[in-house]
Amino acid sequence: MSATETQTRPAVLILLGPPGAGKGTQARMLEQEHGLVQLSTGDLLRAAVKAGTEAGKAAKAVMDAGGLVSDEIVLAILRDRMAQPDTAKGVILDGFPRTPGQAEALEALLAGQGASVSAAISLEVEDAAMVERIAGRYTCANCGAGYHDRFKTPAVAGVCDECGSTEFTRRADDNAETVRARLDAYHAQTAPLIGHYEGKGVLRRVDAMGDIAEIAAALRAIVTDASAR
Ligand code: AMP
């Protein structure tokens, strides 16, 4: 590949891992550092639910129960988002793909743009810790910065570090019962993608049980390496 082609090829990074593994937190940090766009199908679906679109209405009950929304709906939302010009430099896919069918559809979509998956990063965590992690998390209602009751509190209580807002929200599906269903869905439908990307030679594993900053450093090294390819 020529140097020119290397520069123009978008980096496509996939963050794999169960709910609570830290995909959103890490994607946000990588986005700020590398000029890539975080693309979270969960965020896009929540926005569709809030806007009351047909897709949002169809997705709501499934999301409330912790199941997976149909590939048809998710792929339509993803294609629309990937067509936006801000994704040209590259994307960090957070929560997508989640099924083998979605992985195949992504590969077809990228092939049409002369691109491919740069790296699939598996955030490796223990299920037992995930319920506690999820039950304590919340986000700034204004800028979306993520916090946690125990692991990541704002410097000034009740004030967002990033934008100064004092409004915060918790996700409706972040309750213990729904989290268990989401973990089940992850193991049944998404975990097989780890083997899929290993077979393609793009899988990178990261121990995601530790400190947020240490995990970020490990990811930074992977992303710098993958972006340079
Ligand atoms: P997340 O924000 O990634 O935890 O996703 C929240 C919920 O949105 C999930 O529990 C699913 O119901 C739905 N969802 C998000 N991404 C996908 C996807 N790629 N495929 C199917 N359902 C999804």
Side-chain angles (χ1 to χ4, degrees):
M1 187 186 296
S2 75
T4 319
E5 277 172 324
T6 307
Q7 276 162 13
T8 53
R9 231 178 129 187
V12 179
L13 301 153
I14 296 172
L15 290 184
L16 284 171
K23 300 186 295 295
T25 303
Q26 296 296 340
R28 240 181 115 82
M29 292 167 87
L30 291 173
E31 181 176 48
Q32 286 161 1
E33 290 168 10
H34 292 265
L36 304 171
V37 169
Q38 174 190 11
L39 206 159
S40 153
T41 43
D43 284 350
L44 294 170
L45 287 165
R46 280 184 286 279
V49 170
K50 203 171 169 192
T53 65
E54 285 308 311
K57 283 180 200 152
K60 187 176 183 318
V62 181
M63 292 172 75
D64 286 346
L68 290 188
V69 175
S70 74
D71 284 358
E72 193 191 350
I73 290 178
V74 174
L75 288 168
I77 283 184
L78 179 94
R79 280 197 195 97
D80 280 357
R81 185 63 188 89
M82 293 275 280
Q84 306 286 319
D86 65 341
T87 62
K89 187 168 175 200
V91 290
I92 306 159
L93 297 172
D94 157 11
F96 180 92
R98 249 175 162 105
T99 63
Q102 291 180 9
E104 277 170 33
L106 173 66
E107 276 146 36
L109 181 70
L110 294 176
Q113 303 172 348
S116 60
V117 173
S118 317
I121 305 169
S122 171
L123 297 179
E124 316 238 308
V125 290
E126 290 154 21
D127 264 19
M130 292 306 102
V131 178
E132 187 196 12
R133 271 205 199 178
I134 292 176
R137 70 186 185 179
Y138 58 97
T139 53
C140 170
N142 179 49
C143 74
Y147 297 97
H148 192 280
D149 293 327
R150 282 188 50 204
F151 309 127
K152 188 173 181 263
T153 52
V156 178
V159 181
C160 176
D161 293 342
E162 292 186 27
C163 75
S165 168
T166 53
E167 301 278 321
F168 296 88
T169 56
R170 286 180 197 261
R171 278 171 48 173
D173 60 349
D174 277 352
N175 59 75
E177 192 187 330
T178 310
V179 171
R180 289 205 179 86
R182 288 160 62 201
L183 283 169
D184 288 348
Y186 173 79
H187 288 295
Q189 291 165 276
T190 310
L193 295 181
I194 294 174
H196 174 80
Y197 289 114
E198 192 158 38
K200 291 189 173 290
V202 292
L203 184 77
R204 306 295 299 268
R205 295 177 189 270
V206 170
D207 176 358
M209 284 304 292
D211 183 68
I212 292 176
E214 279 170 25
I215 300 163
L219 288 184
R220 199 175 297 129
I222 293 172
V223 174
T224 302
D225 181 47
S227 303
R229 275 161 204 241

